Amino acid sequence: MKIKIKNICCIGAGYVGGPTMAVIADNCHNVEINVVDLDRERIDRWNSKDLSRLPVYEPGLAEIIERRRGKNLNFSSSVEEKIKIADAIFISVNTPTKKKGLGAGKASDLKWIEACTRQVAANSEGHTIVIEKSTIPVRTANVIKSILESSEFLNDENSNKTFSVLSNPEFLAEGTAINDLLNPDRILIGGDNYEDIESLKDIYANWVPNHLIISTNVWSSELSKLSANAFLAQRISSINSISALCEKTGADVEEVSLAIGLDTRIGSKFLKAGPGFGGSCFKKDILNVIYLCEYFGLHEVAEFWESVIKLNNWQTNRITKLVTRKLFGTLSNKKISILGFAFKANTNDTRESAAIQICKNLINEGAILLIHDPKVNGEQIALDLNNEEFDINKSEIGSEGTWIKVNDIYDSFVDSDASIILTEWEEYLNINWDKVSNLMRKPAWVFDTRSMIDKKNFDNLDLNLWVVGKG
Ligand code: NAD
Ligand code: UDX
């Protein structure tokens, strides 16, 4: 029998759980939604009156939180209690790459999936639809099912528990999450319980047109998510490889992107050269594809996807080498302004950001970095650069191989030998380079890894300019 979902519990209040549930709450006022997390500090921040303290920055998110929080959207640490009253449970926990043991460095670590599935098995009541929202290896639904159906949890003769497991991967991109959730290209639901698929479809149908809600078997759904990310990342490595060739040949990568993107078979999106893709998903999900291929003996396929990651690392590292070469082969005690630390604009997320590797490389060469980012705080940068003992309140310039966070973009240029644009924040489009030219030590270089600067505007300035894919 088809049930009407009235109470949702989302386990995991991160970059996916928070925004996704906010959008569902905003579009389904008569569905009660509880987002739960073991991380109490994260929950406190979701409940903070000061909306600038929300743990996730996404344009448009704070407004929805303000509208729905305390009405049909609640954030809580009472995981067991909220599982008990839910008709549908979204699993949105982290699935990072395994650090040790079998499959280390490639396979997904499913320990958080397993832990929260056990919580669901132990605490749910009646029929519960369990929905995989996290990105997971193909066939994980079997793991979830066998835990849910294990005698450990169903041995009570009076138990009225039943479950079905659906796969409903999330395709949002950070920085545009709210728009992506409101206007998805498609909603994908994988499973074999027709009635439960219909129940979940009814939730999305509140704002997504029916023809965009598609259902497949559960394995296709799980693999589609990994494949989508692998394809997207592959396009970036492809255009980054061409960016290097452009720099050697005098071609302009933006002109090449435009020309090839107009071919409808190729399409214009995801053809922007940059410092290498970052973010918590692409590398992890490709590594997972590689692991699966190796597991199934598909070594040539594994090698193909491995080359996408190799090219990405090469692109990131070639930028440091290029900066070092242009600054006469030494960065020792040279000040370098770093514009942007997030892995892309409009997010406070730094996971796998190319900026981390590039800053580490520069520090290793002895540079002094003045780092600016409008949304990433100093504590996060210190964590990413492994400076556990770094005093984030320190504002004066340190010695060779150190960094400080600056709040004013122009402070980063004072006496700098170089500036590197690493994140495409809109405010970097409006920098007054004439003013900057007076602040930097000469000869000075600007390295634009996001192709934000129009070379023509630099013609009359005493600044050297390098732009990715243009030289
Ligand atoms: P995240 O690390 O921001 O959030 C995960 C949260 O789950 C954490 O707050 C953690 O404390 C919590 N958690 C872990 N185990 C728990 C448990 N047993 N009980 C309660 N809470 C628990 O991760 P994220 O970026 O939101 O990603 C979540 C999943 O979604 C991953 O599988 C990821 O691959 C996938 N995904 C992410 C994105 C993205 O852009 N970030 C997009 C699509 C899919
Ligand atoms: C990605 C997928 O896009 C999304 O569908 C999935 O659900 C999660 O993973 P995300 O990592 O949040 O989203 O951002 P995305 O816009 O894909 O950017 C990833 C990285 O690629 C960023 O570092 C970005 O700067 C870079 N990128 C993106 C490019 O260098 N060039 C491009 O043309 C596009």
Side-chain angles (χ1 to χ4, degrees):
M1 198 180 62
K2 180 173 135 184
I3 62 156
K4 191 167 166 54
I5 298 173
K6 293 201 196 91
N7 191 302
I8 289 176
C9 172
C10 173
I11 308 181
Y15 283 86
V16 167
T20 307
M21 292 305 124
V23 167
I24 295 182
D26 209 23
N27 287 282
C28 310
H29 289 190
N30 41 21
V31 179
E32 175 78 22
I33 299 180
N34 292 298
V35 189
V36 296
D37 205 296
L38 296 173
D39 183 340
R40 280 171 189 275
E41 198 215 319
R42 215 167 198 184
I43 290 295
D44 286 348
R45 289 180 63 187
W46 279 113
N47 283 323
S48 171
K49 280 211 175 80
D50 173 3
L51 292 172
S52 70
R53 285 197 68 244
L54 294 181
V56 172
Y57 171 72
E58 278 293 339
L61 174 64
E63 291 84 341
I64 303 182
I65 299 293
E66 194 168 29
R67 271 202 298 278
R68 301 312 315 165
R69 199 176 52 188
K71 295 187 177 127
N72 65 331
L73 177 65
N74 297 294
F75 294 90
S76 145
S77 312
S78 312
V79 181
E80 296 172 2
E81 180 196 317
K82 301 302 179 192
I83 288 175
K84 201 170 276 185
I85 56 171
D87 314 309
I89 297 178
F90 283 84
I91 298 183
S92 296
V93 300
N94 36 323
T95 50
T97 306
K98 255 184 116 172
K99 289 207 174 96
K100 54 184 183 189
L102 189 67
K106 288 190 183 139
S108 289
D109 194 337
L110 296 181
K111 79 174 172 215
W112 291 273
I113 294 276
E114 180 171 340
C116 74
T117 305
R118 286 179 188 279
Q119 283 169 305
V120 173
N123 296 293
S124 63
E125 288 183 355
H127 183 66
T128 310
I129 308 175
V130 178
I131 302 156
E132 302 172 337
K133 194 46 122 174
S134 298
T135 306
I136 34 167
V138 57
R139 301 200 76 83
T140 302
N142 262 355
V143 175
I144 295 179
K145 255 189 201 144
S146 41
I147 295 171
L148 293 174
E149 287 165 5
S150 119
S151 56
E152 164 130 11
F153 304 106
L154 294 181
N155 59 2
D156 176 357
E157 271 178 28
N158 300 322
S159 170
N160 61 351
K161 288 180 203 198
T162 53
F163 300 101
S164 75
V165 180
L166 303 181
S167 158
N168 173 219
E170 184 47 61
F171 294 98
L172 68 79
E174 289 178 29
T176 52
I178 299 302
N179 187 48
D180 295 343
L181 287 160
L182 286 173
N183 304 293
D185 288 343
R186 76 310 207 180
I187 295 291
L188 176 59
I189 303 175
D192 53 16
N193 184 320
Y194 175 76
E195 283 149 349
D196 286 351
I197 291 175
E198 288 300 310
S199 298
L200 183 55
K201 272 187 178 174
D202 286 349
I203 291 286
Y204 287 109
N206 282 294
W207 77 97
V208 180
N210 268 323
H211 70 278
L212 295 180
I213 310 177
I214 60 169
S215 51
T216 63
N217 82 36
V218 70
W219 317 129
S220 305
S221 174
E222 290 179 340
L223 189 56
S224 297
K225 175 63 199 176
L226 292 180
S227 307
N229 273 356
F231 268 60
L232 289 168
Q234 170 270 125
R235 278 173 75 91
I236 302 170
S237 279
S238 297
I239 200 65
N240 282 342
S241 75
I242 298 297
S243 76
L245 193 53
C246 286
E247 290 161 29
K248 296 281 183 203
T249 56
D252 176 326
V253 77
E254 287 209 297
E255 292 177 354
V256 174
S257 293
L258 175 71
I260 64 174
L262 285 170
D263 185 326
T264 50
R265 293 168 302 174
I266 296 176
S268 60
K269 293 183 179 159
F270 266 68
L271 285 182
K272 185 114 178 105
F277 58 75
S280 63
C281 296
F282 283 170
K283 186 170 155 203
K284 152 179 95 73
D285 293 345
I286 295 183
L287 286 170
N288 196 206
V289 169
I290 294 168
Y291 179 74
L292 286 169
C293 291
E294 281 170 353
Y295 178 83
F296 290 111
L298 301 169
H299 302 295
E300 287 74 8
V301 186
E303 269 171 35
F304 171 74
W305 289 111
E306 223 151 19
S307 71
V308 172
I309 294 184
K310 242 191 199 164
L311 197 289
N312 197 53
N313 293 339
W314 176 79
Q315 178 81 348
T316 305
N317 287 324
R318 89 180 173 94
I319 289 168
T320 329
K321 287 188 188 141
L322 190 127
V323 171
T324 314
R325 254 185 258 118
K326 297 280 191 200
L327 298 187
F328 313 117
T330 173
L331 302 183
S332 177
N333 272 314
K334 288 183 178 162
K335 289 181 198 138
I336 299 184
S337 125
I338 299 291
L339 298 185
F341 201 81
F343 79 97
K344 64 184 284 197
N346 294 319
T347 176
N348 59 344
D349 196 350
T350 62
R351 289 177 289 181
E352 299 294 336
S353 176
I356 300 174
Q357 191 55 45
I358 290 174
C359 288
K360 280 185 178 170
N361 292 346
L362 298 172
I363 287 172
N364 206 25
E365 290 278 352
I368 298 163
L369 306 182
L370 296 98
I371 304 177
H372 177 271
D373 189 288
K375 290 288 172 204
V376 179
N377 60 36
E379 284 91 340
Q380 186 58 50
I381 298 174
L383 277 174
D384 289 329
L385 298 180
N386 302 329
N387 293 141
E388 284 93 356
E389 288 169 29
F390 190 81
D391 176 4
I392 52 132
N393 295 316
K394 196 170 150 227
S395 58
E396 74 271 19
I397 307 286
S399 53
E400 178 172 293
T402 56
W403 63 273
I404 57 164
K405 166 100 204 286
V406 297
N407 294 324
D408 184 321
I409 301 176
Y410 292 96
D411 286 348
S412 78
F413 298 112
V414 179
D415 295 328
S416 292
D417 290 74
S419 175
I420 314 177
I421 301 178
L422 290 176
T423 313
E424 71 285 22
W425 286 104
E426 202 178 334
E427 54 210 280
Y428 300 154
L429 285 171
N430 304 319
I431 292 175
N432 178 344
W433 292 106
D434 200 15
K435 176 174 166 185
V436 170
S437 173
N438 292 324
L439 296 173
M440 295 180 80
R441 185 170 88 149
K442 304 295 163 19
W445 275 92
V446 175
F447 299 93
D448 176 6
T449 73
R450 295 288 187 170
S451 207
M452 298 183 84
I453 295 174
D454 186 346
K455 279 190 141 191
K456 283 198 292 289
N457 297 339
F458 267 54
D459 283 350
N460 300 318
L461 297 180
D462 186 13
L463 291 173
N464 298 299
L465 175 66
W466 174 90
V467 181
V468 69
K470 302 182 187 195

